[in-house]
Amino acid sequence: MMSRLPGFLGLARWRSFPLARRWKRCAFLFAALAVATPSLSAPAVVATIKPIHSLTAAVMVGVAEPKLLLGGAASPHSYALKPSDARALDGADLVIRVSPHLEVFLDKALTSLSAKARVVDLDRAAGLNLLAARASHGASSAAASPDEADVHFWLDPSNAVALVREIARQLSSIDPENAARYRANADALEARLVALDGELRKTLAGLSTRPFVVFHDVTQYLERRYDLNSLGTVTPSPERSPGAGSVAALRDAIREKGAVCIFAEPQFSPRLIDMLVEGTNAQRGVLDEIGVRIEAGPDQYFELMRANAHSIADCLRH
């Protein structure tokens, strides 16, 4: 460190400083490096899907970077663990997932985690506004328990605030040395999420009379938060394709009820969407609840929510 300082300050000027001042400047530079450099003792954290990884990464800024489990176009509904995933889980201090009802592929792996690892189910976070999973596409209702909830709750920014608080609490519990940093990051992140909510409200304003259809039921939280009008889903589960009779009935409903748009999801084949659009006035759109095309990182959640809001608004206003 000392050998590099003259290159920045000028050798003659550096030597002219009193010794105490030299040590003071060195101490300042070391402190700055400590803030910018992740802690060597930081916890090993694994987050399952990109939106949750993004919020976790934002809370951990300046401490360390969490490991993302599902990258690329992977879907938590059909994911198969790779050997590298198993190694990451085995070395984790903290594993953060949405819900045991979403990342079911983790069930077997989590039973063999080391004793030190803590698993966080975010559907248990305090302050979440959980909506009940819909057996049919009807009105939204509050969930009596997390086990009955629609697991796509991160798509409401007010819920994201509750998730950030829970993530910061869990990190502070296992890493009290960095608790102040986690709390400060969480406070800043909450302010950004409140601003994002206001931005999305403006983007999606005035669309309540424009009905649409989604590939599977991922929009309930968006509907409730921003007064949107979904008619139904192409399939009740992304693992099951509807039969020919169901497709024909849904196409009739699209015509009769005047659906403006049918939204596909990038991680699933658009073939069914093409079949449904044929012979109707509906437009094709894309909803990406995970953000498979958006680079992972602290800003991914914000880019994901903005991209979906603009995709919805553009298709419904077409």
Side-chain angles (χ1 to χ4, degrees), residues 26-287:
C26 284
F28 172 80
L29 291 172
F30 277 123
L33 285 171
V35 170
T37 305
S39 169
L40 295 176
S41 61
V45 179
V46 174
T48 52
I49 62 173
K50 280 186 174 180
I52 302 307
H53 173 269
S54 177
L55 297 175
T56 304
V59 174
M60 295 184 72
V61 165
V63 179
E65 294 182 9
K67 161 77 175 174
L68 171 64
L69 208 57
L70 276 72
S75 166
H77 295 283
S78 56
Y79 189 68
L81 284 172
K82 304 187 295 290
S84 59
D85 300 327
R87 289 192 295 271
L89 290 168
D90 188 58
D93 298 300
L94 197 66
V95 178
I96 303 176
R97 65 177 173 178
V98 174
S99 166
H101 302 293
L102 180 65
E103 298 100 328
V104 293
F105 64 88
L106 276 179
D107 289 350
K108 184 176 179 180
L110 293 182
T111 62
S112 60
L113 281 183
S114 66
K116 70 171 184 175
R118 179 187 298 182
V119 179
V120 177
D121 293 329
L122 290 176
D123 58 357
R124 266 66 180 174
L128 278 182
N129 173 30
L130 292 177
L131 300 175
R134 297 186 284 201
S136 60
H137 215 77
S140 299
S141 60
S145 73
D147 292 330
E148 299 176 0
D150 179 339
V151 294
H152 304 94
F153 47 78
W154 68 86
L155 291 171
D156 180 342
S158 68
N159 277 341
V161 170
L163 299 181
V164 164
R165 291 173 182 160
E166 178 65 12
I167 291 166
R169 187 181 73 82
Q170 294 285 349
L171 287 167
S172 298
S173 175
I174 66 167
D175 183 23
E177 179 183 344
N178 289 301
R181 173 59 61 88
Y182 298 138
R183 287 193 295 270
N185 287 344
D187 288 344
L189 191 53
E190 288 179 28
R192 291 183 64 195
L193 288 167
V194 170
L196 174 69
D197 184 37
E199 178 185 334
L200 299 183
R201 194 169 295 282
K202 291 179 181 178
T203 301
L204 296 170
L207 296 175
S208 60
T209 61
R210 307 289 285 173
F212 60 91
V213 172
V214 292
F215 181 72
H216 83 288
D217 197 6
V218 299
T219 58
Q220 184 175 192
Y221 290 93
L222 288 169
E223 294 167 38
R224 171 68 74 90
R225 187 72 182 172
Y226 302 113
D227 194 22
L228 300 175
N229 181 13
S230 174
L231 293 177
T233 62
V234 175
T235 176
S237 172
E239 292 87 6
R240 298 199 308 269
S241 295
S246 297
V247 171
L250 185 54
R251 187 189 293 118
D252 290 342
I254 289 168
R255 291 196 195 97
E256 292 170 8
K257 297 183 179 180
V260 175
C261 189
I262 305 176
F263 290 102
E265 296 177 40
Q267 62 268 50
F268 301 108
S269 171
R271 184 177 62 86
L272 281 173
I273 306 300
D274 295 339
M275 293 171 58
L276 288 169
V277 168
E278 185 178 354
T280 74
N281 293 322
Q283 302 294 315
R284 292 176 179 85
V286 175
L287 273 177

